C-alpha cells in the first residue's frame, strides 16, 4: 500500500511493504492510508482461449439456437486492401472470416480449443457428418468462440459464411425494477479532496453482449462505412478529446511563484484570436492529411489587416481578380492517393483575407463574404461539398442539404469551376471525398439544439500507422506474408464551429483498426497540436459523475466548493462567474446556450461548473489523463492540488479577493 504525508502534495506520497493496515510503521496522526485505486477500477484480462463447451444435453435444454448467413462481396473486400485487381478469392474469403473472429475477440470472446468432433457431437452433428466435412473440405474453415455462457460457431462453405449463435435461455425476459434495485448499493464515500463523506449509489452489472445485433454487424461489416455500426449498442471503441489553448508559461509561473492561480487572463492578449485561428487551420490540415503545393513566389495568406499591401484589384474586373488569387495562394492536395478531390483547392478563410487585403471595395469581412457568394452564383467558384451529415452524439444521423450557393467562412474547401464542364453534370458535385470542415469565430445564437453551432459532425477516415515499421528489433515480421494487411479506418466526429475562447471537441470511433495504429495517430495529432499552440487531451463522456447516479463511476465524485456573493445584483452574478472561471484558466466546453455552462481547464486537468441551486462550484478531476499527458501539459499532481487549494481560498474570500474582483469588474458602472 502507499501512504501520503499531508501538506507535502505529490512529494508526500510514500510506498512501503508492510503487513496489516499500518504494518510495522509506528502510528502517526499525519499519515493517511490509501488503497491501490488502479486495482479497483481496472479489470483483469482473460486469455484468448478456453477449453470448455457445454454438452449435448445442456445445448438442447438450456440454449436457444439462432443462425444467419452472409455472402462474401469480393469488390467490397478489395476496397479493404486498396487493390481493385486482387484476384485471390481464397485470400479475400479468409480476410472476411478472420475479421468476424477478430470482432468477437475484441469484445471479450475466447476461442474454444477442443477436439472438433467433441463439439460437433454436442451440437448434433454425427461422427459421419463430421468426418465427411473434414474429408471433402466442404467446410473450409470453422471456429468456435465463447463469452460467458454464450457460444458462437463460424464456418465457411464456398463463398458463404454462416454464424450460429447458442444463446442461454433467459429466466427473465426483461429485468424488473425490483431485480435492478437489488443490484444497487448505497455507501458513504469520501473523495480524497473532500472534507466530508457523501452518500453514493452504484449499480454492479455485467458486461452483456446478449443484446448486440450480431446479424447486423456481420452482414454490414464489409460495407465498413455504415453509420449504424458506430452506435453505442454495437460496442465499438470510442475516444473523446478536447483542444484548448497552449499555456505552458503561465502554468509554470503559477506553480513556481505560488502567488495565486488566477493568472490566466494574460493568455487572452490582442493577438490571441489570430494566433489560435491560424494554428487551428494548420491543425485541421494535419488531421485531414493535406499538404500545400509550395512555390518560391507563394506565401501563406493568413495575414492581419495591418499587413495589407496596396489594393490593386477591383470587383469590376472579376477575371483579373481571380487570376491574381490563382497566382497568390498555396493550393491544397491530399496525401491519401485513394481520395478524390478537385485540383487547386483553397480555403474560404484565406480567400476572404486576400480579398480584404487586395480589393479596394472590400474592406470588411462581411463585404468580402458577400462578394464570394456572388462568385458562386456566377459559377466562378464552388464549395467542395453540397451535402453534409449532421450527427448528434453519433446516435442518429440525418442528411441535410447544404445550400451550394452559400459561402461559409472557415476551414471550407473551394475550387475553381472548370469552364469545359457543363452545369448540368451535377454528379461532379457529389463524388468528392469527405473531410473535416468547420466554421471559425462564430458563437452559437440558435434557439434550438438542432441548429446549434457546436453540434457534432462526422466524417469517415482512414488511419495510417505513423511508424511504418513492419519488423521488430530482431528483424522478425509482425505479420506473415500470407496474411494481407487491410486499410484501417473509423469515424471522426468534430464540432461544426471553432471559437478561440472555447474548447474544440474531436472524437474517434472505430472497430476495424489496430489499437497501436490508433494510439500512434492520436499521439501524432497531440504532437502537432502542441507545435501549433494547442493542448490536446482525452476527456470522459461524463465529466461530472453524480454521487446518486448508479451508472456513474463508483469511486469518483466531484468536489463541492460553496460560493455566494450578496454584494452584487443578481443579474450581474453570471458575469462575475464568467470572469472568475476565466481568470483561473477555465474555458467553456459544449454549448452554454443549450445546457448548463461547463468549463474545462486549459491544461486539461479539471472541470468546473456552477450549481445555482446549491450556490456552489462543482470541481471535478479529469481521470483520463495519464502520466504521459500530464507531463506534456505541465499538469502535475502538485499543480492540480495547488489550483484546488487556491480556488477554495478564493471562494472563501480570503484576503478579500472576491471583493477586489467585484470592485475591479463593476467600478465603472
Amino acid at each position: 500500500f502507499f501512504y501520503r504525508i499531508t501538506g507535502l502534495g505529490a512529494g508526500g506520497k510514500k510506498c512501503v511493504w508492510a503487513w496489516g493496515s499500518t504494518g510495522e510503521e509506528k502510528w502517526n496522526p499525519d499519515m493517511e492510508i490509501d488503497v491501490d485505486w488502479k486495482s479497483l477500477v481496472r479489470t483483469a484480462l482473460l486469455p484468448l482461449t478456453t477449453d470448455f463447451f457445454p454438452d449435448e444435453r445442456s445445448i438442447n435444454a438450456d440454449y436457444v439456437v439462432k443462425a444467419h448467413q452472409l455472402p462474401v462481396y469480393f469488390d467490397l473486400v478489395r476496397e479493404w486492401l486498396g487493390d481493385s485487381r486482387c484476384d485471390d478469392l481464397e485470400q479475400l474469403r479468409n480476410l472476411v472470416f478472420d475479421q468476424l473472429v477478430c470482432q468477437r475477440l475484441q469484445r471479450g470472446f475466447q476461442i474454444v480449443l477442443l477436439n472438433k468432433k467433441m463439439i460437433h457431437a454436442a451440437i448434433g452433428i454425427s461422427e459421419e457428418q463430421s468426418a465427411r466435412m473434414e474429408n471433402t473440405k466442404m467446410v473450409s474453415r470453422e471456429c468456435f468462440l465463447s463469452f460467458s455462457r454464450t457460444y458462437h460457431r463460424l464456418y465457411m462453405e464456398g463463398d458463404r459464411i454462416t454464424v450460429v449463435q447458442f444463446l442461454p435461455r433467459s429466466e427473465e425476459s426483461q429485468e424488473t425494477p425490483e431485480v435492478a434495485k437489488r443490484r444497487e448499493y448505497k455507501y458513504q464515500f469520501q473523495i480524497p479532496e473532500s472534507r466530508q463523506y457523501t452518500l453514493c449509489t452504484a449499480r454492479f452489472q455485467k458486461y452483456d453482449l446478449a443484446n448486440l445485433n450480431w446479424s447486423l454487424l456481420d452482414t454490414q461489416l464489409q460495407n465498413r462505412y455504415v453509420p449504424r455500426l458506430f452506435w453505442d449498442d454495437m460496442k465499438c471503441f470510442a475516444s473523446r478529446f478536447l483542444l484548448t489553448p497552449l499555456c505552458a508559461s503561465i502554468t509554470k509561473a503559477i506553480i513556481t511563484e505560488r502567488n495565486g492561480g488566477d493568472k490566466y487572463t494574460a493568455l487572452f492578449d490582442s493577438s490571441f484570436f489570430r494566433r489560435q485561428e491560424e494554428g487551428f487551420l494548420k491543425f485541421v490540415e494535419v488531421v485531414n492529411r493535406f499538404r500545400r503545393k509550395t512555390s518560391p513566389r507563394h506565401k501563406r495568406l493568413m495575414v492581419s489587416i495591418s499587413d495589407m499591401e496596396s489594393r490593386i484589384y477591383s470587383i469590376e474586373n472579376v477575371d483579373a481578380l481571380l487570376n491574381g488569387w490563382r497566382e497568390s495562394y498555396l493550393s491544397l492536395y491530399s496525401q491519401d492517393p485513394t481520395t478524390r478531390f478537385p485540383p487547386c483547392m483553397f480555403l474560404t478563410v484565406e480567400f476572404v483575407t486576400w480579398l480584404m487585403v487586395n480589393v479596394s471595395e472590400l474592406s470588411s469581412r462581411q463585404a468580402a463574404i458577400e462578394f464570394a457568394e456572388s462568385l458562386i452564383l456566377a459559377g466562378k467558384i464552388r464549395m467542395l461539398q453540397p451535402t453534409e451529415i449532421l450527427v448528434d452524439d453519433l446516435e442518429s444521423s440525418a442528411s441535410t442539404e447544404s445550400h451550394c450557393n452559400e459561402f461559409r467562412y472557415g476551414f471550407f474547401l473551394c475550387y475553381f469551376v472548370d469552364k469545359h464542364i457543363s452545369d448540368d453534370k451535377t454528379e461532379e458535385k457529389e463524388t468528392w471525398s469527405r473531410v473535416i470542415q468547420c466554421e471559425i469565430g462564430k458563437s452559437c445564437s440558435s434557439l434550438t439544439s438542432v441548429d446549434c453551432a457546436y453540434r457534432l459532425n462526422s466524417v469517415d477516415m482512414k488511419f495510417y500507422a505513423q511508424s511504418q515499421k513492419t519488423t521488430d528489433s530482431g528483424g522478425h515480421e509482425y505479420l506473415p506474408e500470407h496474411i494481407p494487411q487491410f486499410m484501417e479506418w473509423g469515424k471522426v466526429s468534430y464540432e461544426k464551429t471553432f471559437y478561440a475562447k472555447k474548447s474544440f471537441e474531436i472524437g474517434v470511433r472505430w472497430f476495424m483498426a489496430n489499437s497501436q495504429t490508433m494510439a500512434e495517430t492520436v499521439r501524432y495529432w497531440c504532437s502537432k497540436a502542441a507545435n501549433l499552440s494547442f493542448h490536446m487531451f482525452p476527456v470522459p463522456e461524463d465529466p461530472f459523475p453524480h454521487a446518486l447516479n448508479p451508472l456513474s463511476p463508483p469511486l469518483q465524485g466531484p468536489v463541492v466548493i460553496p460560493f455566494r456573493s450578496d454584494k452584487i445584483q443578481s443579474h450581474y452574478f453570471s458575469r462575475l462567474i464568467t470572469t472568475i472561471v476565466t481568470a483561473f484558466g477555465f474555458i467553456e466546453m459544449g454549448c452554454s446556450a443549450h445546457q448548463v455552462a461547463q468549463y474545462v481547464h486549459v491544461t486539461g486537468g479539471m472541470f468546473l461548473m456552477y450549481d445555482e441551486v446549491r450556490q456552489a462550484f462543482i470541481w471535478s478531476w479529469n481521470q483520463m489523463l495519464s502520466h504521459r499527458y500530464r507531463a506534456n501539459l505541465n499538469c502535475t499532481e502538485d499543480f492540480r492540488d495547488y489550483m484546488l487549494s487556491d480556488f477554495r481560498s478564493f471562494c472563501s474570500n480570503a484576503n478579500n479577493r472576491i471583493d477586489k474582483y467585484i470592485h475591479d469588474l463593476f467600478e465603472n458602472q
Side-chain angles (χ1 to χ4, degrees):
F1 66 92
F2 67 85
Y3 67 93
R4 177 181 297 169
I5 305 299
T6 57
L8 297 182
K13 183 177 178 181
K14 307 294 182 182
C15 296
V16 297
W17 292 98
W19 294 98
S21 59
T22 58
E24 300 176 358
E25 295 289 328
K26 185 177 180 180
W27 183 81
N28 186 339
D30 294 329
M31 183 175 68
E32 298 177 1
I33 302 175
D34 293 325
V35 296
D36 184 1
W37 293 102
K38 288 185 178 180
S39 64
L40 291 178
V41 299
R42 294 186 178 181
T43 57
L45 295 177
L46 293 174
L48 288 178
T49 60
T50 183
D51 57 358
F52 177 79
F53 195 86
D55 57 17
E56 183 177 7
R57 184 208 61 79
S58 180
I59 289 290
N60 294 331
D62 303 329
Y63 283 85
V64 176
V65 181
K66 297 170 57 178
H68 59 270
Q69 287 186 330
L70 59 141
V72 177
Y73 299 103
F74 296 108
D75 291 338
L76 294 177
V77 182
R78 290 188 182 99
E79 294 181 5
W80 293 13
L81 301 174
D83 183 6
S84 59
R85 294 175 295 180
C86 179
D87 56 358
D88 190 345
L89 302 185
E90 186 64 24
Q91 182 188 63
L92 298 178
R93 295 189 195 97
N94 289 329
L95 187 61
V96 176
F97 189 89
D98 290 337
Q99 188 56 223
L100 295 178
V101 174
C102 290
Q103 289 299 317
R104 286 156 173 80
L105 291 178
Q106 70 180 8
R107 288 169 173 81
F109 275 75
Q110 297 173 281
I111 298 177
V112 179
L113 292 183
L114 283 177
N115 188 290
K116 291 292 179 65
K117 293 183 178 180
M118 295 176 56
I119 303 179
H120 287 166
I123 62 177
I125 299 178
S126 63
E127 292 187 10
E128 293 77 9
Q129 290 176 310
S130 180
R132 192 183 315 114
M133 290 166 53
E134 183 176 355
N135 295 332
T136 61
K137 303 296 182 181
M138 182 173 59
V139 175
S140 56
R141 293 191 63 181
E142 186 178 27
C143 182
F144 290 87
L145 302 102
S146 71
F147 178 85
S148 184
R149 297 178 59 205
T150 301
Y151 296 87
H152 285 191
R153 178 198 180 200
L154 283 69
Y155 64 94
M156 183 163 58
E157 290 182 284
D159 293 342
R160 305 189 73 84
I161 299 175
T162 303
V163 179
V164 182
Q165 302 180 60
F166 301 90
L167 306 175
R169 300 180 188 273
S170 57
E171 298 178 359
E172 298 181 1
S173 58
Q174 188 174 4
E175 187 181 66
T176 62
E178 292 76 13
V179 175
K181 196 69 175 178
R182 287 200 299 267
R183 292 194 288 106
E184 288 187 7
Y185 294 82
K186 293 185 178 181
Y187 54 96
Q188 295 282 347
F189 178 61
Q190 184 183 25
I191 304 166
E193 292 78 12
S194 179
R195 297 165 183 169
Q196 59 186 1
Y197 284 87
T198 304
L199 178 63
C200 299
T201 303
R203 178 183 299 172
F204 293 89
Q205 55 188 3
K206 60 183 180 180
Y207 180 72
D208 192 6
L209 291 177
N211 296 326
L212 196 153
N213 192 340
W214 287 106
S215 175
L216 174 65
L217 176 63
D218 295 338
T219 55
Q220 298 297 326
L221 185 66
Q222 298 175 66
N223 295 321
R224 299 192 299 174
Y225 298 125
V226 178
R228 180 66 177 84
L229 297 181
F230 293 93
W231 288 21
D232 287 336
D233 60 353
M234 301 306 292
K235 306 293 184 183
C236 70
F237 294 97
S239 294
R240 182 187 179 204
F241 300 88
L242 290 182
L243 211 64
T244 59
L246 188 68
C247 57
S249 59
I250 300 178
T251 301
K252 186 176 181 179
I254 288 175
I255 200 61
T256 302
E257 300 172 2
R258 294 184 178 271
N259 190 27
D262 52 341
K263 308 298 182 184
Y264 285 93
T265 307
L267 176 65
F268 308 103
D269 54 18
S270 58
S271 63
F272 172 76
F273 281 91
R274 175 191 169 190
R275 182 174 64 248
Q276 295 302 116
E277 290 177 1
E278 288 183 3
F280 179 75
L281 292 176
K282 296 177 183 178
F283 176 76
V284 179
E285 285 184 20
V286 170
V287 177
N288 284 330
R289 293 180 56 83
F290 280 157
R291 287 291 184 270
R292 290 186 179 263
K293 298 179 180 179
T294 58
S295 174
R297 60 189 178 88
H298 286 167
K299 61 180 180 179
R300 197 176 183 97
L301 292 168
M302 279 299 295
V303 297
S304 64
I305 302 301
S306 61
D307 299 330
M308 286 185 179
E309 303 171 359
S310 59
R311 300 176 183 270
I312 57 177
Y313 298 103
S314 172
I315 60 175
E316 301 297 332
N317 192 344
V318 175
D319 291 336
L321 184 152
L322 291 179
N323 287 334
W325 168 241
R326 284 177 184 268
E327 296 175 356
S328 301
Y329 77 99
L330 299 175
S331 62
L332 292 162
Y333 69 94
S334 176
Q335 291 180 289
D336 186 356
T338 63
T339 56
R340 186 174 184 272
F341 292 105
C344 303
M345 296 186 299
F346 57 90
L347 297 180
T348 60
V349 61
E350 295 181 348
F351 184 45
V352 168
T353 302
W354 184 87
L355 291 175
M356 295 169 62
V357 171
N358 294 279
V359 181
S360 57
E361 296 91 344
L362 305 177
S363 58
S364 67
R365 177 185 296 180
Q366 185 59 35
I369 292 175
E370 292 176 357
F371 175 74
E373 287 184 354
S374 68
L375 294 179
I376 294 179
L377 292 173
K380 300 292 185 179
I381 62 175
R382 183 175 292 160
M383 301 289 288
L384 178 66
Q385 296 172 352
T387 60
E388 64 181 6
I389 301 296
L390 298 182
V391 180
D392 186 11
D393 295 332
L394 292 175
E395 289 296 331
S396 61
S397 61
S399 179
T400 59
E401 288 293 330
S402 175
H403 302 290
C404 58
N405 294 333
E406 179 184 353
F407 184 88
R408 304 172 71 178
Y409 179 80
F411 192 100
F412 289 97
L413 297 172
C414 267
Y415 61 97
F416 293 99
V417 176
D418 192 340
K419 298 179 181 179
H420 301 288
I421 299 179
S422 60
D423 293 337
D424 57 352
K425 291 188 176 181
T426 56
E427 68 273 10
E428 292 292 333
K429 303 177 183 179
E430 301 180 356
T431 54
W432 308 124
S433 300
R434 290 180 51 80
V435 292
I436 295 176
Q437 299 189 88
C438 56
E439 297 189 60
I440 287 182
K442 177 182 176 182
S443 59
C444 182
S445 58
S446 172
L447 298 178
T448 62
S449 59
V450 176
D451 300 323
C452 178
Y454 303 120
R455 190 177 177 180
L456 293 180
N457 277 2
S458 71
V459 295
D460 304 317
M461 185 172 292
K462 299 173 183 176
F463 302 117
Y464 296 85
Q466 303 297 322
S467 61
Q468 302 295 333
K469 292 176 62 178
T470 59
T471 60
D472 59 15
S473 58
H476 303 96
E477 294 284 342
Y478 287 137
L479 289 175
E481 294 182 357
H482 68 279
I483 297 181
Q485 181 65 25
F486 60 84
M487 179 61 64
E488 301 174 61
W489 56 273
K491 189 178 288 289
V492 176
S493 61
Y494 59 96
E495 289 182 333
K496 290 170 50 180
T497 304
F498 170 79
Y499 184 60
K501 294 187 69 173
K502 175 189 169 299
S503 64
F504 181 82
E505 179 177 339
I506 182 170
V508 186
R509 292 198 171 210
W510 72 96
F511 60 88
M512 281 186 65
N514 185 282
S515 59
Q516 181 63 29
T517 300
M518 295 306 305
E520 291 178 357
T521 300
V522 171
R523 196 174 298 127
Y524 176 72
W525 291 352
C526 292
S527 174
K528 290 298 182 180
N531 295 335
L532 299 171
S533 300
F534 285 102
H535 291 310
M536 181 176 171
F537 49 86
V539 293
E541 288 294 328
D542 183 12
F544 300 94
H546 196 279
L548 296 180
N549 182 1
L551 300 181
S552 292
L555 300 177
Q556 297 177 15
V559 181
V560 180
I561 305 174
F563 177 82
R564 55 185 302 175
S565 179
D566 301 326
K567 298 182 179 181
I568 62 172
Q569 300 178 12
S570 58
H571 57 277
Y572 289 136
F573 192 75
S574 60
R575 182 180 173 187
L576 175 63
I577 294 295
T578 303
T579 303
I580 292 173
V581 299
T582 302
F584 275 88
F586 290 90
I587 60 176
E588 185 180 314
M589 64 177 182
C591 180
S592 59
H594 301 111
Q595 65 179 22
V596 177
Q598 297 181 353
Y599 305 91
V600 60
H601 199 265
V602 287
T603 61
M606 40 272 190
F607 307 101
L608 192 69
M609 64 180 294
Y610 185 75
D611 189 337
E612 295 182 358
V613 177
R614 289 192 279 183
Q615 293 186 328
F617 282 106
I618 309 300
W619 180 292
S620 180
W621 301 115
N622 185 2
Q623 307 291 350
M624 299 290 292
L625 292 186
S626 63
H627 291 292
R628 176 194 294 271
Y629 279 98
R630 289 202 297 268
N632 293 338
L633 304 178
N634 293 322
C635 187
T636 61
E637 184 177 350
D638 187 24
F639 168 75
R640 299 202 295 177
D641 288 343
Y642 174 75
M643 289 297 294
L644 175 59
S645 175
D646 187 68
F647 191 76
R648 272 177 163 162
S649 174
F650 178 90
C651 291
S652 64
N653 200 21
N655 299 322
N656 298 320
R657 294 173 69 182
I658 296 179
D659 297 340
K660 294 177 182 178
Y661 261 77
I662 295 176
H663 178 268
D664 295 340
L665 187 61
F666 302 106
E667 63 178 351
N668 297 325
Q669 297 186 7

